[in-house]
């Protein structure tokens, strides 16, 4: 490596942020980067480890060549670092911002020290590349005469489109929303991923001849069978968009919303009118409770605070995670540890307390007028492990069981409730129209080896196949599905040529 003693002599230095009270005034990104010299020093902390777990099966799903571009970055060879990063990741400007960085938690240096700042290094490389004008259209040199239609323009669809276009296919991406990007555009708030970055990348892909059609829902506005017939292959990247609900008394009361019904219109209104059109659900002056403790729940917290909510709580059914790795998540596994995300620190700055309540179960939505929610009745729970009944010898400790704690009922004031409980698979319209098989979780069935569905020439990738997951996994699936489609169509072409030659010979 460029600096053999970098991990010894240089301490980890992370990025800083715009102060909470200041950044809550708008929906702008609030990251403050290090200087180029500081970033190069941080890249020099990358060790010459024998096995770089950062891009193993425990680390980066897109197999980023992390030690290589860290080495180039340390040497100040920013453009070479960008070119190496681009080899494996179509959209580092997205993953560098929103990925939870399994590469970093599997860093070998992290066994007994602070890991390398891989995620921050990545985003600085791509930001530098944009600033220097190195991110330019890569126009394919030939066209092979075959067409592929992609339904869905999220990270999986965009990655597949990029790969297939560069292989010479004529690619058309269909998106039912008014803007391209899917989850990247409307599922992630602007302060976490500035939408100008998504639009900039999409514009580059347009210049590379990828066609995008917006405002069209395949299966409703366009017949899926007709679309399939007009193309050599069809790839479904429709995501996992069925929200998980909560079935407790009072669920039908007004003021209870799914997280995406809150986040999506907010971003659309922000882009259309800077929130002046009122075409969004406003949390201003509301007593907000967010049920669900994942990334989406955190995004609901940050958005509600920017609206100017009166109070805020975040319910998490699971117990409070430890501050550091436990024996349940040893290195290099991704650990479940207490994470203080941007929304949590912003809520702390506004209300003087971490908004999260752990080990709490919502039992009933209550109302003062019988129409609108006014509170939530809750009970505290604990998680107990019991001996496994199925296989006590193989697994002496079974899965944890939730137990309600007596005499812990409370009522929390809430006139605005957001459900951020995850998703339960793709919507059914295309599944039914194409007679696609589903797995036992409701996802479209396809092998990760070839991404083929049970229908000829129809493929699936991303959350629609693997279930709700990360942006970086969606990019991985899109790339792999593109390779599978390419191999499939090459085989078909070879068979056609062989049959034609055989017919000629006869």
């Amino acid at each position: 490596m460029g600096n053999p003693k970098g991990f010894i002599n240089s301490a980890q230095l992370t990025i800083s942020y715009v102060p909470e009270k200041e950044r809550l005034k708008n929906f702008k990104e609030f990251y403050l980067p290090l200087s180029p010299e500081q970033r190069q020093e941080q890249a020099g902390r990358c060790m010459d480890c024998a096995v770089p777990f950062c891009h193993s099966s425990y680390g980066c799903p897109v197999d980023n060549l992390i030690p290589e571009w860290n080495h180039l970055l340390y040497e100040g060879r920013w453009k070479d670092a960008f070119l190496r990063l681009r080899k494996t990741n179509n959209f580092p400007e997205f993953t560098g911002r929103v990925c939870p960085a399994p590469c970093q938690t599997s860093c070998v240096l992290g066994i007994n020290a602070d890991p390398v700042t891989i995620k921050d290094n990545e985003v600085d490389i791509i930001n530098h590349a944009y600033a220097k004008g190195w991110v330019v259209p890569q126009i394919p040199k030939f066209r092979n005469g075959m067409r592929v239609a992609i339904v869905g323009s999220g990270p999986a669809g965009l990655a597949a489109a990029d790969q297939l276009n560069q292989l010479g296919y004529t690619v058309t991406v269909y998106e039912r929303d008014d803007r391209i990007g899917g989850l990247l555009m409307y599922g992630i708030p602007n302060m976490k991923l500035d939408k100008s970055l998504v639009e900039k990348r999409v514009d580059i892909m347009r210049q590379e001849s990828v066609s995008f059609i917006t405002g069209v829902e395949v299966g409703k506005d366009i017949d899926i069978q007709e679309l399939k017939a007009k193309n050599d292959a069809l790839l479904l990247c429709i995501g996992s968009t069925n929200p998980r609900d909560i079935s407790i008394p009072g669920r039908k009361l007004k003021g209870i919303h799914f997280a995406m019904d809150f986040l999506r219109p907010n971003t659309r209104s922000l882009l259309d009118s800077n929130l002046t059109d009122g075409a969004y659900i406003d949390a201003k002056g509301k007593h907000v409770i967010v049920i669900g403790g994942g990334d989406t729940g955190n995004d609901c917290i940050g958005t509600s605070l920017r609206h100017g909510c009166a109070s805020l709580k975040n319910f998490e059914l699971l117990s409070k995670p430890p501050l550091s790795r436990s024996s349940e998540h040893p290195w290099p596994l991704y650990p479940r540890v207490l994470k203080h995300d941007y929304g949590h620190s912003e809520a702390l700055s506004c209300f003087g307390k971490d908004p999260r309540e752990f080990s709490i179960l919502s039992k009933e939505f209550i109302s003062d007028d019988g129409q609108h929610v006014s509170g939530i009745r809750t009970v505290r729970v604990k998680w107990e492990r019991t001996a496994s009944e199925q296989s006590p010898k193989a697994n002496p400790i079974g899965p944890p069981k939730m137990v309600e704690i007596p005499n812990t009922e409370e009522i929390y004031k809430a006139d605005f409730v957001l459900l951020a409980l995850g998703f339960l698979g793709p919507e059914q319209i295309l599944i039914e129209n194409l007679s696609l098989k589903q797995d036992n979780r409701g996802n479209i069935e396809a092998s990760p080896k070839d991404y083929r569905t049970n229908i000829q020439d129809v493929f699936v990738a991303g959350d629609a196949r693997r279930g709700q997951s990360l942006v970086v996994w969606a990019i991985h699936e899109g790339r792999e599905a593109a390779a599978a489609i390419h191999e499939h169509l090459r085989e078909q072409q070879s068979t056609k040529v062989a049959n034609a030659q055989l017919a000629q010979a006869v």
Side-chain angles (χ1 to χ4, degrees), residues 272-292:
D272 287 346
S273 70
N274 197 30
L275 300 180
T276 60
D277 60 10
Y280 63 99
I281 305 172
D282 197 350
K284 184 176 181 179
K286 301 290 187 181
H287 298 281
V288 179
I289 290 183
V290 179
I291 302 179

Side-chain angles (χ1 to χ4, degrees), residues 64 69 85 89 92 95-96 118-126:
N64 273 339
W69 46 256
L85 175 57
N89 190 348
T95 55
I118 299 170
K119 178 178 175 178
D120 295 346
N121 294 356
E122 178 182 61
V123 78
D124 268 14
I125 290 171
I126 188 61

